[in-house]
Amino acid sequence: MKKSICLYFQVHQPTRLRLYRFFDIGKDSHYYDDFANRTILRRVADRCYLPMNAQLLEMIKAGKGKFKLAFSISGSFIEQCERHCPEVIDSFRALAQTGCVEFLSETYYHSLASLSSATEFKHQVLKHKALIEETFGVTPVTFRNTELIYSDAIGAAVYEMGFKTMLTEGAKHVMGWRTPNYVYSGAKAPKLKLLLRNAPLSDDIAFRFSDRSWNNWPLTSEKYVSWLQAAEGEIINLFMDYETFGEHQKAESGIFDFVKCLPAAVAAAGDFEFVTPKEAAKKHASVGALDVPDPISWADEERDLSAWLGNELQNDAFSKVNSLNEKLGILNDQQLWSDFGHLQESDHFYYMCTKFFSDGAVHKYFNPYDTPYEAFINYMNVLSDFSIRVEDALKTSGTKAVEEDRIVVVKPKNVPGRGKRK
């Protein structure tokens, strides 16, 4: 049996907040930097999404069913594309129609809901699943959590939602002597199969490809396939941000040519075949359970949650936004639910990270703020206004109930229309 190569790309753009000052609170409830969101999306579409999708489509057609890959695309990304770059969605639809691309399920807002609320987590997953079905005509059967965040408890919750396969990180402190190049199973959900990212081989493309100081530069497809051949195991999972191609690694670095030549180099070696996550889980049996009592992720050297919840600023902001969940559950306000979802995007907390050493450069590259403290202040100003809107809506809702001379008691899961909020 040939070994497997599983290619997976994360596609997401955050809903960036505008500069929101203290004096805007209670006066202006438009929170988003529309110009930045539109401009950045357009730029990345031209550099990455459109040319890479076109190239992948050609590769799939040339491969006649042998070249396969997977995407997870956040709801926030799809919303932005529908507003500013609908042609990007069309290019993903063309890939979906080939039958060689698997679209994964995730949280709608690329959020940390799996760490805060079981109800909100499930809601966002089901909402995202419905969006993928509507947009691409396929039903997701594999799950990847935001930033590959996983724990035994999260895995069990994902399995209960009907997913049999999940992606996560092959974190060294969890793996120990084991290799990520096998399929594993969940400790609390034995029937949940886990595909683990091979971090070194993924990062050779995502981070080191254009680094001329790297002792393996330049990286050719033949050289890379030789590394795949040397790797122990049954499957090599190459997971990375889709923006790697053309945005993080510029076109002039040769990244597009590298990807274009990869299938031919793999075929020449004769040792591997490309599979989607769904196919990988069907092809390979689990070699054992993976115990992950504390959450892991694919971020930074620690592979934990410290990129988003590693300091007091982040934890304070995270706690305050999630404290509004119960109050919102009483309301049936589509706009409030939409803003609440976007305020949960993990990117906002990532911008507040205070790491200045090993991973500081990476955080700085992705951060639109000069300092994490500016990110925190801006976010909390927005959250203050949002909280006022929630309180005002609750008062209005209470007044209506009194006028109708009846008592209204509504649990979050029973709120009409909540499942349709966008």
Short mmCIF file of all heavy atoms in Angstrom, two decimals, residues 20 22 24-27 29 31 324 327 336 381-395:
data_model
loop_
_atom_site.label_atom_id
_atom_site.label_comp_id
_atom_site.label_asym_id
_atom_site.label_seq_id
_atom_site.Cartn_x
_atom_site.Cartn_y
_atom_site.Cartn_z
N TYR A 20 -11.47 52.70 16.84
CA TYR A 20 -12.69 53.02 17.57
C TYR A 20 -12.31 53.69 18.88
O TYR A 20 -11.78 53.06 19.78
CB TYR A 20 -13.50 51.73 17.83
CG TYR A 20 -14.93 51.99 18.23
CD1 TYR A 20 -15.93 52.10 17.27
CD2 TYR A 20 -15.28 52.13 19.57
CE1 TYR A 20 -17.25 52.34 17.63
CE2 TYR A 20 -16.59 52.37 19.93
CZ TYR A 20 -17.57 52.48 18.97
OH TYR A 20 -18.88 52.73 19.34
N PHE A 22 -12.73 56.17 22.40
CA PHE A 22 -13.58 56.21 23.59
C PHE A 22 -14.83 57.05 23.35
O PHE A 22 -15.93 56.70 23.78
CB PHE A 22 -12.78 56.76 24.77
CG PHE A 22 -13.61 56.98 26.01
CD1 PHE A 22 -13.93 55.92 26.85
CD2 PHE A 22 -14.09 58.25 26.32
CE1 PHE A 22 -14.70 56.12 27.99
CE2 PHE A 22 -14.86 58.46 27.46
CZ PHE A 22 -15.17 57.39 28.29
N ASP A 24 -16.47 57.42 20.72
CA ASP A 24 -17.42 56.80 19.80
C ASP A 24 -18.42 55.92 20.53
O ASP A 24 -19.48 55.58 19.98
CB ASP A 24 -16.68 55.93 18.78
CG ASP A 24 -15.85 56.74 17.80
OD1 ASP A 24 -16.28 57.86 17.47
OD2 ASP A 24 -14.78 56.26 17.38
N ILE A 25 -18.08 55.55 21.76
CA ILE A 25 -18.92 54.62 22.51
C ILE A 25 -20.30 55.24 22.76
O ILE A 25 -20.42 56.37 23.24
CB ILE A 25 -18.27 54.27 23.87
CG1 ILE A 25 -16.92 53.57 23.63
CG2 ILE A 25 -19.19 53.37 24.69
CD1 ILE A 25 -16.13 53.34 24.90
N GLY A 26 -21.33 54.50 22.39
CA GLY A 26 -22.69 54.99 22.57
C GLY A 26 -23.18 55.91 21.47
O GLY A 26 -24.34 56.32 21.47
N LYS A 27 -22.31 56.23 20.49
CA LYS A 27 -22.68 57.16 19.43
C LYS A 27 -22.58 56.54 18.04
O LYS A 27 -23.34 56.90 17.15
CB LYS A 27 -21.78 58.40 19.49
CG LYS A 27 -21.92 59.20 20.78
CD LYS A 27 -20.99 60.41 20.76
CE LYS A 27 -21.12 61.20 22.06
NZ LYS A 27 -20.18 62.37 22.08
N SER A 29 -22.06 52.76 16.15
CA SER A 29 -21.96 51.32 16.33
C SER A 29 -21.49 50.59 15.08
O SER A 29 -21.71 49.39 14.94
CB SER A 29 -23.31 50.75 16.79
OG SER A 29 -23.66 51.27 18.05
N TYR A 31 -18.39 49.10 13.59
CA TYR A 31 -17.11 48.73 14.20
C TYR A 31 -16.00 48.37 13.20
O TYR A 31 -14.84 48.27 13.59
CB TYR A 31 -17.31 47.50 15.11
CG TYR A 31 -18.39 47.66 16.15
CD1 TYR A 31 -19.28 46.62 16.41
CD2 TYR A 31 -18.54 48.85 16.86
CE1 TYR A 31 -20.28 46.75 17.37
CE2 TYR A 31 -19.54 48.99 17.82
CZ TYR A 31 -20.40 47.93 18.06
OH TYR A 31 -21.39 48.07 19.01
N LEU A 324 -21.43 37.93 27.57
CA LEU A 324 -22.65 38.47 26.97
C LEU A 324 -23.51 37.39 26.32
O LEU A 324 -24.62 37.65 25.88
CB LEU A 324 -22.29 39.53 25.92
CG LEU A 324 -21.55 40.77 26.44
CD1 LEU A 324 -21.07 41.62 25.27
CD2 LEU A 324 -22.46 41.57 27.35
N LYS A 327 -27.02 36.83 27.89
CA LYS A 327 -27.94 37.95 27.66
C LYS A 327 -28.44 37.95 26.22
O LYS A 327 -29.61 38.19 25.95
CB LYS A 327 -27.24 39.27 27.99
CG LYS A 327 -26.94 39.47 29.46
CD LYS A 327 -26.27 40.81 29.70
CE LYS A 327 -26.00 41.01 31.19
NZ LYS A 327 -25.34 42.31 31.49
N LEU A 336 -27.17 42.02 16.25
CA LEU A 336 -26.40 41.80 17.47
C LEU A 336 -25.68 40.46 17.43
O LEU A 336 -24.51 40.36 17.79
CB LEU A 336 -27.31 41.87 18.70
CG LEU A 336 -27.77 43.25 19.15
CD1 LEU A 336 -28.74 43.13 20.31
CD2 LEU A 336 -26.58 44.13 19.53
N ASN A 381 -13.03 49.19 23.62
CA ASN A 381 -13.92 50.31 23.29
C ASN A 381 -15.11 49.80 22.47
O ASN A 381 -16.26 50.17 22.73
CB ASN A 381 -13.16 51.38 22.51
CG ASN A 381 -12.26 52.22 23.40
OD1 ASN A 381 -12.40 52.23 24.62
ND2 ASN A 381 -11.33 52.93 22.77
N VAL A 382 -14.82 48.97 21.49
CA VAL A 382 -15.89 48.38 20.67
C VAL A 382 -16.81 47.54 21.54
O VAL A 382 -18.04 47.63 21.45
CB VAL A 382 -15.29 47.52 19.54
CG1 VAL A 382 -16.39 46.70 18.87
CG2 VAL A 382 -14.58 48.39 18.52
N LEU A 383 -16.22 46.74 22.40
CA LEU A 383 -17.01 45.86 23.26
C LEU A 383 -17.89 46.65 24.22
O LEU A 383 -19.01 46.24 24.54
CB LEU A 383 -16.09 44.92 24.04
CG LEU A 383 -16.76 43.77 24.78
CD1 LEU A 383 -17.56 42.91 23.82
CD2 LEU A 383 -15.72 42.92 25.50
N SER A 384 -17.41 47.80 24.66
CA SER A 384 -18.21 48.66 25.55
C SER A 384 -19.47 49.14 24.83
O SER A 384 -20.57 49.14 25.39
CB SER A 384 -17.39 49.86 26.02
OG SER A 384 -16.33 49.44 26.84
N ASP A 385 -19.32 49.58 23.59
CA ASP A 385 -20.48 50.02 22.83
C ASP A 385 -21.42 48.85 22.57
O ASP A 385 -22.65 48.99 22.69
CB ASP A 385 -20.03 50.63 21.50
CG ASP A 385 -21.20 51.15 20.69
OD1 ASP A 385 -21.62 52.30 20.94
OD2 ASP A 385 -21.73 50.41 19.83
N PHE A 386 -20.85 47.70 22.23
CA PHE A 386 -21.68 46.53 21.97
C PHE A 386 -22.47 46.14 23.22
O PHE A 386 -23.66 45.79 23.14
CB PHE A 386 -20.81 45.36 21.52
CG PHE A 386 -21.58 44.12 21.18
CD1 PHE A 386 -22.34 44.05 20.02
CD2 PHE A 386 -21.55 43.03 22.03
CE1 PHE A 386 -23.06 42.90 19.71
CE2 PHE A 386 -22.27 41.87 21.74
CZ PHE A 386 -23.03 41.81 20.57
N SER A 387 -21.85 46.21 24.37
CA SER A 387 -22.53 45.89 25.64
C SER A 387 -23.70 46.83 25.89
O SER A 387 -24.77 46.39 26.36
CB SER A 387 -21.54 45.96 26.80
OG SER A 387 -20.49 45.03 26.63
N ILE A 388 -23.52 48.11 25.58
CA ILE A 388 -24.60 49.08 25.74
C ILE A 388 -25.77 48.71 24.84
O ILE A 388 -26.94 48.77 25.25
CB ILE A 388 -24.10 50.50 25.40
CG1 ILE A 388 -23.10 50.97 26.46
CG2 ILE A 388 -25.27 51.49 25.29
CD1 ILE A 388 -22.41 52.28 26.13
N ARG A 389 -25.48 48.31 23.61
CA ARG A 389 -26.53 47.92 22.68
C ARG A 389 -27.30 46.70 23.19
O ARG A 389 -28.52 46.62 23.06
CB ARG A 389 -25.93 47.63 21.31
CG ARG A 389 -25.42 48.86 20.58
CD ARG A 389 -24.63 48.45 19.35
NE ARG A 389 -25.42 47.63 18.44
CZ ARG A 389 -24.88 46.78 17.55
NH1 ARG A 389 -23.56 46.64 17.49
NH2 ARG A 389 -25.67 46.08 16.75
N VAL A 390 -26.58 45.75 23.77
CA VAL A 390 -27.22 44.56 24.31
C VAL A 390 -28.15 44.94 25.46
O VAL A 390 -29.29 44.48 25.55
CB VAL A 390 -26.17 43.53 24.77
CG1 VAL A 390 -26.84 42.38 25.52
CG2 VAL A 390 -25.39 42.98 23.58
N GLU A 391 -27.65 45.79 26.37
CA GLU A 391 -28.46 46.22 27.51
C GLU A 391 -29.70 46.98 27.05
O GLU A 391 -30.80 46.79 27.59
CB GLU A 391 -27.62 47.08 28.46
CG GLU A 391 -26.49 46.35 29.16
CD GLU A 391 -26.98 45.23 30.07
OE1 GLU A 391 -28.15 45.31 30.53
OE2 GLU A 391 -26.21 44.30 30.32
N ASP A 392 -29.52 47.86 26.06
CA ASP A 392 -30.66 48.62 25.55
C ASP A 392 -31.69 47.68 24.92
O ASP A 392 -32.91 47.87 25.08
CB ASP A 392 -30.19 49.64 24.51
CG ASP A 392 -29.44 50.81 25.14
OD1 ASP A 392 -29.51 50.96 26.38
OD2 ASP A 392 -28.77 51.56 24.39
N ALA A 393 -31.21 46.68 24.20
CA ALA A 393 -32.12 45.72 23.57
C ALA A 393 -32.88 44.92 24.62
O ALA A 393 -34.06 44.61 24.44
CB ALA A 393 -31.34 44.79 22.64
N LEU A 394 -32.21 44.59 25.71
CA LEU A 394 -32.87 43.86 26.80
C LEU A 394 -33.97 44.70 27.44
O LEU A 394 -35.06 44.19 27.76
CB LEU A 394 -31.84 43.44 27.84
CG LEU A 394 -30.91 42.29 27.47
CD1 LEU A 394 -29.81 42.13 28.50
CD2 LEU A 394 -31.69 40.99 27.32
N LYS A 395 -33.70 45.99 27.61
CA LYS A 395 -34.70 46.88 28.19
C LYS A 395 -35.91 46.99 27.28
O LYS A 395 -37.06 46.96 27.73
CB LYS A 395 -34.09 48.26 28.44
CG LYS A 395 -33.03 48.29 29.52
CD LYS A 395 -32.41 49.67 29.64
CE LYS A 395 -31.29 49.69 30.67
NZ LYS A 395 -30.63 51.03 30.76
#
